[in-house]
Amino acid sequence: MAVLDHAPPPFFKRGPAPLALLSFYVAFSIALFVLDLRFHALDIVRQAISLGTDPLQRLAQAPMRMLTEGSDYFLTLESVQEENRALRTAQLATAPTLLRLEQLEAENERLRQLLALQSREKAAGQAARILYTARDPFARRVFLDKGQQQGLIPGQPVIDEGGIIGQITRVFPFSAEVTLVTDKNQAVPVQVQRTGQRSVTFGLGNGQVELKYIPANADVQVGDMLITSGLDGVYLPGFPVARVIHVERDSAYAFARIVAAPLAAVESHTVVMVLHPRQPLPPRPPAPEAEGGKPAAKPTRAGN
């Protein structure tokens, strides 16, 4: 039995030979390489392929990117929290210094204003600090950190950069009591700066003062400034005391009711200026002597 040859006859073979295919593909590749190198003919094809594969690349890189970004997020969050804690600690550490600095700057500004007011009024004094207020709720008194050891005596006026605060009423070895102008027992001789009308202010006990003994027809208006008249021998003339805020006139009364608000910060400041007491007035000159070396007779009142 003859063995049949399964190999097809050469007439029925399909396709080119493998060597020919290899040569064709090599030549085609070299041609594409030359065209792309010289004429950039495949840029459009390359962009189209990149556009199609970009979503796949992003999808493949998504897990690693999410892992990296998550790790960076938590590291950044921890770093920010640690930085915030450090900043809070530093802020708390510097807060007392900053608050103290602001307070000192405010006190220095008030002291400069006090010194300017002192120079303007030609008065001498020394600065003092308010320690605390009196325990009596119906009294308007404060206590200073200076007393007899610093040369303070009762009767000295106390001012700030706005005007009159009050007057020293009691002195202790290392402290002194100041009765504010708003106290009901405190009276200050004043005059209306605009008109020169003289009167006296009395404290109302509620942070305000009342201008008394002003006739109902007197020229006093809201907004007028009251200054010390200096008639009491305690306050130098010209210091600001208060500003009129209310005027009430009633024909049934001979005097007007006038309320004023102190210009000084009687309820808030902690640093004040204690002025030195005023120099006593010079003694009254003796009566001139009449002829013959005898003193002149005292004048008599009319009708005597």
Side-chain angles (χ1 to χ4, degrees):
M1 183 174 181
V3 178
L4 297 176
D5 189 3
H6 294 283
F11 179 79
F12 294 101
K13 288 183 179 180
R14 298 178 180 179
L19 183 59
L21 287 176
L22 178 61
S23 301
F24 173 76
Y25 287 134
V26 170
F28 183 72
S29 299
I30 294 174
L32 289 177
F33 179 77
V34 172
L35 288 175
D36 185 53
L37 182 63
R38 296 292 301 272
F39 305 103
H40 304 283
L42 300 181
D43 287 347
I44 298 177
V45 178
R46 189 180 295 108
Q47 292 177 3
I49 295 175
S50 174
L51 182 64
T53 58
D54 183 77
L56 299 177
Q57 293 177 352
R58 291 180 180 274
L59 183 61
Q61 296 174 356
M64 182 59 66
R65 185 173 62 253
M66 293 176 60
L67 181 61
T68 304
E69 291 179 354
S71 177
D72 293 342
Y73 170 78
F74 287 109
L75 290 176
T76 304
L77 180 61
E78 184 179 359
S79 175
V80 170
Q81 291 177 347
E82 183 65 25
E83 185 177 357
N84 287 339
R85 285 192 292 268
L87 290 176
R88 291 195 191 98
T89 303
Q91 183 179 9
L92 291 175
T94 57
T97 303
L98 293 177
L99 294 176
R100 178 69 173 173
L101 180 61
E102 293 178 358
Q103 181 182 4
L104 290 177
E105 288 180 352
E107 291 181 357
N108 288 337
E109 180 63 24
R110 289 199 294 268
L111 286 174
R112 284 193 293 268
Q113 295 177 0
L114 284 173
L115 292 175
L117 181 61
Q118 176 188 9
S119 176
R120 185 168 60 250
E121 299 294 341
K122 298 185 184 303
Q126 56 180 320
R129 182 183 298 274
I130 295 177
L131 295 176
Y132 53 89
T133 60
R135 297 180 179 178
D136 187 357
F138 301 100
R140 290 294 182 266
R141 297 183 177 90
V142 296
F143 288 85
L144 305 181
D145 62 346
K146 294 184 178 180
Q148 293 175 347
Q149 297 298 322
Q150 289 75 31
L152 300 187
I153 60 174
Q156 288 184 254
V158 181
I159 66 171
D160 68 358
E161 68 274 14
I164 297 294
I165 288 283
Q167 180 182 358
I168 292 180
T169 51
R170 288 192 299 175
V171 180
F172 306 97
F174 299 100
S175 62
E177 181 190 68
V178 177
T179 301
L180 304 177
V181 294
T182 55
D183 188 88
K184 292 183 178 181
N185 297 322
Q186 184 69 4
V188 181
V190 298
Q191 67 182 54
V192 181
Q193 186 182 42
R194 181 175 58 85
T195 62
Q197 177 75 41
R198 290 190 295 270
S199 182
V200 180
T201 61
F202 290 87
L204 294 177
N206 59 356
Q208 298 176 343
V209 298
E210 182 179 2
L211 187 64
K212 292 190 175 183
Y213 311 122
I214 292 291
N217 59 352
D219 183 13
V220 180
Q221 303 174 4
V222 174
D224 282 344
M225 182 182 293
L226 307 178
I227 60 176
T228 54
S229 62
L231 298 181
D232 58 350
V234 175
Y235 299 101
L236 287 170
F239 276 101
V241 178
R243 189 178 299 277
V244 177
I245 61 174
H246 176 73
V247 178
E248 181 180 345
R249 292 182 173 90
D250 191 341
S251 58
Y253 299 96
F255 299 105
R257 185 175 186 273
I258 302 173
V259 179
L263 293 172
V266 296
E267 303 290 344
S268 58
H269 280 178
T270 58
V271 178
V272 296
M273 177 72 73
V274 180
L275 299 181
H276 294 333
R278 295 181 63 180
Q279 297 296 329
L281 297 176
R284 186 175 180 180
E289 295 183 356
E291 295 181 1
K294 295 182 180 180
K298 295 183 180 180
T300 58
R301 295 184 180 178
N304 292 343

